[in-house]
Amino acid sequence: MGEELKRILGIAIPLIIVCVLSGAALTASYDLTEERIEAVEQEKITESLSIIFPGASFTATDDYYSATMGGEEMGYAFIAEGRGYSSTIKTMVGLYPNGTIRRIYVVSQSETPGLGTSIAEPDFTSQFNGKRIEDVRLRQDGGVIDAITGATISSRAITDTVRERAEVVLNETR
Amino acid sequence: MKLDELTKGVFKYNPIFYLVLGLCPLLAVSTRVDNALGMSLGVFFVLVSSNVIISLFRHWIPSQVRIPCFIVVIASFVTIVELFMHGYAPELYGRLGIYLPLIVVNCIILGRVEAFASKKPVFDSFLDAIGMSIGFTLGIVGIAVCREVLSTGKIAIFGYTLVPTFTQSPSVMMILPPGAFLTIGVIMALINYRSIRKEGR
């Protein structure tokens, strides 16, 4: 019995040590980087807000940011988040109070490289500029947005999340 | 010969075309040249570090549980690289973020750690990792060049156009998974044809 226990411990203890050390290293790295990562993510939001409404100042509410410039209300900006083909697509949307999209900007996504990733490029996102919310659908779904060849799922995902969130935000502001 | 440990990974035992390892991330990431370069960089970091670390501790790891130990070390390493890159190099993370987790399941890392680093001294393992990374880079970038040219009609790396657009009707299929299989198949066939002819002589 003693021999057997020794053999098992001889195998188990090194594995436990490896796991504990790795866990400790991970915890330390997480602690060291947590604040930086949060700052980086916050900066991304700030940056995308200024891309949507350059020069405006923002007041945050629970769900969206209102953009004002020189005391005058410009519109709303909010994050639309939805499931794409292989990742969560996070998009910053600028919306005029009359229900027209100002522009959109993809904050983060990890879709298929070379295919779905094209949803973040201006060729695709500029299609949203100045469109009415109800028209923001793919052409094959009765809207005005052209899907990217070979990436219909990603294109539909971003289009639908933008429209759905925009409808919710517009209702809240009224 | 120490240098052999370095060069064998590049040509003789190329991880992609000879060992046929790491095909999963290869298929996924060889759609564009800049993605391929990013993935190669990630593989280089993780392969060199885990080969060196495993080689350092090779006498303490019991052979019955070596695979779990290797996986834990590799996965932790990838996560640490990911955390630090996210916090301190957000630009680079934006480009490579999606590929970093893929490195954990890249068989080249586990394959080299198991077949080489767990038996050989640290410096040899270090050279082996560098050679294998170069071999992987050559393979994945080569395939990405074929696929990007055929699927987009041009090559653009990090915004710089290397090969200008030469066709208006490129083949979308080449960027989809079948394109990867076709490219790898054709390149492997050429390599095998050459080595068979060499043996015949």
Side-chain angles (χ1 to χ4, degrees):
Chain A
M1 195 59 208
E3 280 298 303
E4 183 70 0
L5 189 67
K6 231 179 177 175
R7 195 182 65 84
I8 293 173
L9 286 182
I11 297 170
I13 288 174
L15 181 59
I16 293 169
I17 293 175
V18 166
C19 290
V20 168
L21 286 182
S22 303
L26 282 180
T27 316
S29 318
Y30 182 80
D31 272 353
L32 280 172
T33 53
E34 192 188 6
E35 274 176 34
R36 288 283 312 201
I37 290 176
E38 226 163 75
V40 165
E41 288 302 311
Q42 191 51 48
E43 201 169 301
K44 261 197 206 160
I45 301 275
T46 322
E47 193 193 308
S48 55
L49 279 174
S50 64
I51 288 172
I52 301 284
F53 287 107
S57 51
F58 298 94
T59 349
T61 63
D62 286 346
D63 269 1
Y64 57 91
Y65 300 85
S66 331
T68 46
M69 201 158 105
E72 209 170 311
E73 186 170 59
M74 306 250 310
Y76 316 105
F78 53 89
I79 292 279
E81 207 171 338
R83 183 97 200 116
Y85 179 69
S86 56
S87 67
T88 302
I89 305 172
K90 229 170 146 183
T91 316
M92 180 63 83
V93 185
L95 183 70
Y96 289 121
N98 66 4
T100 323
I101 304 280
R102 181 183 163 90
R103 67 203 311 185
I104 66 163
Y105 174 78
V106 177
V107 182
S108 67
Q109 51 88 18
S110 34
E111 298 292 289
T112 319
L115 275 180
T117 45
S118 311
I119 56 165
E121 280 162 23
D123 278 350
F124 180 76
T125 55
S126 61
Q127 294 188 73
F128 288 77
N129 299 358
K131 297 284 154 43
R132 302 225 24 104
I133 294 179
E134 55 271 22
D135 291 335
V136 175
R137 284 171 208 275
L138 295 189
R139 210 167 280 283
Q140 56 260 53
D141 300 339
V144 294
I145 308 290
D146 287 314
I148 290 158
T149 315
T152 313
I153 296 180
S154 308
S155 312
R156 181 171 289 137
I158 185 172
T159 312
D160 289 351
T161 28
V162 166
R163 187 189 62 248
E164 281 157 20
R165 279 291 297 155
E167 280 165 355
V168 171
V169 169
L170 200 63
N171 274 332
E172 276 177 31
T173 56
R174 277 191 178 139
Chain B
M1 265 304 279
K2 288 280 178 197
L3 207 61
D4 277 357
E5 306 292 5
L6 184 82
T7 54
K8 72 173 192 305
V10 183
F11 300 109
K12 197 170 164 215
Y13 295 118
N14 185 291
I16 290 172
F17 298 116
Y18 182 83
L19 303 175
V20 201
L21 284 177
L23 286 194
C24 178
L26 179 80
L27 294 173
V29 183
S30 61
T31 47
R32 284 175 59 173
V33 176
D34 49 6
N35 291 338
L37 286 171
M39 182 71 184
S40 309
L41 200 66
V43 166
F44 177 81
F45 277 137
V46 177
L47 185 53
V48 170
S49 334
S50 44
N51 246 18
V52 167
I53 286 174
I54 295 292
S55 178
L56 270 174
F57 294 104
R58 67 188 187 281
H59 298 304
W60 286 284
I61 296 173
S63 63
Q64 296 93 329
V65 288
R66 64 186 190 285
I67 303 287
C69 289
F70 298 161
I71 294 278
V72 168
V73 169
I74 294 169
S76 311
F77 211 84
V78 171
T79 314
I80 291 171
V81 170
E82 196 180 352
L83 285 171
F84 275 92
M85 202 183 269
H86 194 169
Y88 293 91
E91 287 282 309
L92 196 63
Y93 180 79
R95 287 194 170 278
L96 301 188
I98 11 179
Y99 311 118
L100 287 173
L102 274 178
I103 297 172
V104 181
V105 292
N106 189 328
C107 330
I108 295 175
I109 318 269
L110 188 62
R112 290 327 289 170
V113 163
E114 158 75 5
F116 199 91
S118 61
K119 297 175 188 123
K120 297 284 169 64
V122 177
F123 189 61
D124 290 14
S125 306
F126 177 69
L127 290 180
D128 176 75
I130 291 182
M132 285 292 161
S133 311
I134 297 174
F136 179 75
T137 309
L138 285 180
I140 192 170
V141 172
I143 292 166
V145 166
C146 301
R147 289 181 71 190
E148 184 168 349
V149 163
L150 294 174
S151 64
T152 61
K154 61 180 176 135
I155 293 185
I157 299 179
F158 305 124
Y160 302 100
T161 306
L162 288 192
V163 177
T165 314
F166 62 86
T167 166
Q168 288 307 313
S169 55
S171 155
V172 177
M173 188 192 72
M174 292 307 290
I175 211 166
L176 296 168
F181 284 112
L182 281 175
T183 316
I184 295 175
V186 168
I187 294 178
M188 256 181 203
L190 287 174
I191 290 175
N192 283 341
Y193 177 71
R194 252 199 61 195
S195 52
I196 288 169
R197 273 189 36 162
K198 241 189 208 165
E199 270 168 32
R201 263 177 213 161

